[in-house]
Amino acid sequence: LKKLIFSSLFTLSLFASTVDRHTPHWGYLGDISDEYDIILPKDWGEVAKLCGEGKSQSPIDIKTSETKPAGDKSVLKFFKYKTSVDGKVINNGHTIKISPEFLNSYDNSYITVDGKFYQLLQFHMHTHSESTIDGKRFDLVAHLVHKSYDGELAVVGIFFEEGEENFDIKKYWDFMPKKRGEKNDLEDLDISHILPTDTSGYYSFMGSLTTPPCTEGVKWFILKDTLQLSKAQIGQLRAIFPHNYRDLQETNGRDIWER
Ligand SMILES: [Zn+2]
């Protein structure tokens, strides 16, 4: 009997892996997989309807001649970005994601938008950048994802340009898992350094998640001040993710506020 159970379990798992093989899966140009067929960004509508049919999608090109002065709208403020926190650096197959371990707390690392609180959940990297400014695409962008108590998302985009070696992100980079699904522990993170010196100038607009399910109603902020990292550091990320950015989406007359 033991033998029989073993052999049927074996057959079952063999069958499961056969079914999994070539199951379509969303990804990017340049992704290589033996395990599934990759659906490229232009076809993500097959994965989630909104990615194809949404009218308020991200990323977009920000045309600086068409922005409007923010006035007293879209006021973004950063609070208590932590200088010492534990967390994880994760390769989820689409990006490198850093998740600090202080969920469900407004004691640290949050933003306010027009006075409303949004807690930092995680930040992750795209190369090249997703949004562009007057058609200019940056070498890399960090997306800082924040969530309010009622489930609204606010994402802050910070551009990186090739230049000096960045010792603050070196810590994440040194522990960056090369394989999909792997994660490493990080101790004593200083996430305040993911912010550039000047956080007062930015563009803001309504948009979406830039990966399936492409959910809309996301508040976007793209900071004007940038950070640097070295060519070797850009290369380290691109060795794992050669091209993990989504194509530009139509603005469809959306307002872009500038401060
Ligand atoms: Zn992102």
Side-chain angles (χ1 to χ4, degrees):
L1 180 69
K2 215 174 186 178
K3 230 178 200 169
L4 187 70
I5 291 172
F6 177 79
S7 97
S8 61
L9 274 176
F10 180 73
T11 314
L12 199 69
S13 67
L14 195 71
F15 178 69
S17 79
T18 313
V19 168
D20 249 346
R21 199 161 286 269
H22 302 298
T23 302
H25 197 284
W26 69 268
Y28 300 94
L29 204 71
D31 284 1
I32 296 162
S33 172
D34 309 328
E35 292 160 36
Y36 45 77
D37 293 333
I38 292 155
I39 300 179
L40 296 177
K42 65 179 174 56
D43 299 320
W44 285 354
E46 296 168 20
V47 183
K49 227 177 183 179
L50 259 181
C51 303
E53 293 174 11
K55 293 282 174 270
S56 187
Q57 290 287 295
S58 294
I60 55 172
D61 180 43
I62 295 161
K63 293 184 174 59
T64 55
S65 61
E66 293 173 13
T67 60
K68 296 175 181 174
D72 56 3
K73 283 187 283 290
S74 289
V75 179
L76 170 68
K77 287 186 177 150
F78 292 86
F79 292 94
K80 298 180 185 171
Y81 257 59
K82 270 289 192 197
T83 53
S84 173
V85 64
D86 294 341
K88 294 206 181 330
V89 56
I90 301 156
N91 177 338
N92 68 7
H94 302 296
T95 186
I96 291 293
K97 179 166 86 172
I98 291 102
S99 297
E101 282 168 0
F102 49 56
L103 298 182
N104 306 317
S105 150
Y106 284 93
D107 290 338
N108 53 58
S109 308
Y110 63 90
I111 57 171
T112 61
V113 178
D114 298 332
K116 183 169 175 175
F117 287 58
Y118 296 77
Q119 168 75 45
L120 177 69
L121 293 182
Q122 47 100 341
F123 56 96
H124 60 265
M125 312 289 171
H126 300 269
T127 179
H128 292 58
S129 73
E130 297 210 295
S131 288
T132 55
I133 310 272
D134 292 326
K136 180 183 173 174
R137 199 178 283 287
F138 293 78
D139 292 311
L140 190 144
V141 68
H143 283 161
L144 283 54
V145 182
H146 304 76
K147 196 177 190 177
S148 68
Y149 67 92
D150 58 355
E152 249 185 17
L153 294 175
V155 182
V156 178
I158 296 162
F159 292 132
F160 285 72
E161 296 185 276
E162 189 185 313
E164 299 280 305
E165 183 171 10
N166 185 321
F167 292 98
D168 299 312
I169 66 158
K170 188 175 187 304
K171 186 148 190 179
Y172 318 129
W173 258 226
D174 284 348
F175 292 94
M176 195 154 62
K178 292 188 176 58
K179 283 196 189 129
R180 172 193 190 86
E182 284 184 355
K183 54 178 113 175
N184 290 322
D185 291 328
L186 292 173
E187 280 172 22
D188 201 23
L189 292 179
D190 184 348
I191 54 176
S192 68
H193 283 133
I194 198 72
L195 301 178
T197 324
D198 181 4
T199 57
S200 66
Y202 48 83
Y203 304 99
S204 80
F205 50 89
M206 289 305 291
S208 73
L209 299 180
T210 66
T211 56
C214 303
T215 313
E216 297 189 338
V218 178
K219 287 189 162 79
W220 276 90
F221 296 87
I222 305 289
L223 298 194
K224 290 179 177 176
D225 198 7
T226 62
L227 292 170
Q228 292 192 351
L229 81 177
S230 69
K231 189 176 184 174
Q233 288 182 311
I234 298 170
Q236 258 180 288
L237 182 66
R238 286 190 190 155
I240 306 173
F241 300 107
H243 177 137
N244 67 344
Y245 64 91
R246 188 188 190 192
D247 313 300
L248 291 170
Q249 305 294 304
E250 298 293 334
T251 52
N252 296 314
R254 261 176 282 172
D255 289 323
I256 301 177
W257 308 102
E258 179 174 2
R259 171 170 284 103

